[in-house]
């Protein structure tokens, strides 16, 4: 249950940034999202934060179709599907 709460909290915060800050209007990396989460939402950086953010974004690409993904080397770039 705690992991589920954390994932929902993280998803909600990323979604708020998408609306409030226009996140994903241009290609955005996980590190840029983490930077926004820490500066705008006060979320602390942890070892697993990058993995959790990636998981949320992967669901939005694979299951929901909210985002599109482009990979360059080891970096994934995410953008709103309708942007």
């Amino acid at each position: 249950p705690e992991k589920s709460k954390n994932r929902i909290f993280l998803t909600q915060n990323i979604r708020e940034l998408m609306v409030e800050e226009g996140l994903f209007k241009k290609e955005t990396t996980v590190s840029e999202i983490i930077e926004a989460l820490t500066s705008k939402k006060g979320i602390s950086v942890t070892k697993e934060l990058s993995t959790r953010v990636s998981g949320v974004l992967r669901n939005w690409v694979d299951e929901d179709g909210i985002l599109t993904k482009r990979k360059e080397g080891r970096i994934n770039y995410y953008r709103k599907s309708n942007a």
Side-chain angles (χ1 to χ4, degrees):
E2 190 63 32
K3 281 187 179 184
S4 179
K5 283 185 199 173
N6 289 340
R7 187 175 62 245
I8 291 168
F9 175 75
L10 188 59
T11 301
Q12 177 183 343
N13 278 289
I14 295 172
R15 196 174 291 274
E16 287 173 5
L17 286 172
M18 191 178 355
V19 173
E20 296 166 4
E21 305 292 325
L23 202 63
F24 305 114
K25 282 189 177 181
K26 63 177 184 63
E27 289 188 326
T28 308
T29 65
V30 170
S31 60
E32 291 170 327
I33 295 162
I34 290 172
E35 188 176 306
L37 286 169
T38 56
S39 66
K40 307 278 187 205
K41 297 292 183 180
I43 293 176
S44 302
V45 176
T46 63
K47 290 180 187 177
E48 53 201 24
L49 184 59
S50 177
T51 303
R52 292 187 187 280
V53 169
S54 295
V56 169
L57 301 181
R58 195 168 39 251
N59 285 340
W60 286 359
V61 169
D62 295 341
E63 296 173 14
D64 300 333
I66 296 170
L67 301 177
T68 58
K69 179 175 85 170
R70 177 180 70 85
K71 190 174 184 95
E72 189 172 300
R74 293 189 57 191
I75 300 174
N76 291 319
Y77 295 89
Y78 297 90
R79 185 179 181 135
K80 277 182 85 174
S81 294
N82 58 357

